Every structure is written in structure tokens, then in C-alpha cells.
Amino acid sequence: AGPGKGGGVVLDCDDPVPGGTGAFRVQPAGNRLRITAAAPIGCLYGTYALLRELGQGRAPGDIRLAEAPVMPLRMLNHW
């Protein structure tokens, strides 16, 4: 969508997502993508996961992710 056409990403970093503070969900919400998490760190992980999917050529409307860390400390692969 171009300027003024809607679209974009909505962050909801205070949503009771099961799985702890690092858990997140990414899913379409109308013409936008919505990242929900219980805490801001979950939104960060969700944003990185979304960027990874987009970088691999996935269509935004096809992206549906839900992750929860098994360990309390997660390392970001920023290379």
C-alpha cells in the first residue's frame, strides 16, 4: 500500500501473550500486520522475526508467527 492507503505494522506490546515476556505473535490484521507481545522485548523479537520473513521474500499477508522462548535469555542473531 502506498502513502495514505493504510497498511503498515501495528505494535501491541502490552497484550497477555502466553509464554512469558519474550513471547510474540505476528499476524495480519486487515491491511496491516500486527505484532503482539506481553512486553516490549517480545515486540522486538517479533519485529526481527517479521523482518527475517520479509527478507526471505514472504508476502506480508501470508506471515503468521507465534513464538515463545524456552529459555529466559534469548540471543539475537544479528550477523
Side-chain angles (χ1 to χ4, degrees):
K5 303 281 186 193
V9 177
V10 175
L11 298 175
D12 183 359
C13 304
D14 190 22
D15 189 282
V17 174
T21 58
F24 65 86
R25 284 189 309 254
V26 179
Q27 58 196 17
N31 63 342
R32 298 179 178 194
L33 283 170
R34 184 172 181 209
I35 299 173
T36 55
I41 192 70
C43 279
L44 177 66
Y45 294 139
T47 300
Y48 279 123
L50 173 59
L51 290 172
R52 182 180 60 240
E53 296 294 316
L54 293 171
Q56 292 176 355
R58 289 200 53 200
D62 294 339
I63 298 174
R64 287 169 181 76
L65 305 169
E67 293 186 16
V70 176
M71 304 296 288
L73 179 62
R74 198 189 286 204
M75 300 299 288
L76 292 177
N77 183 1
H78 56 278
W79 302 108

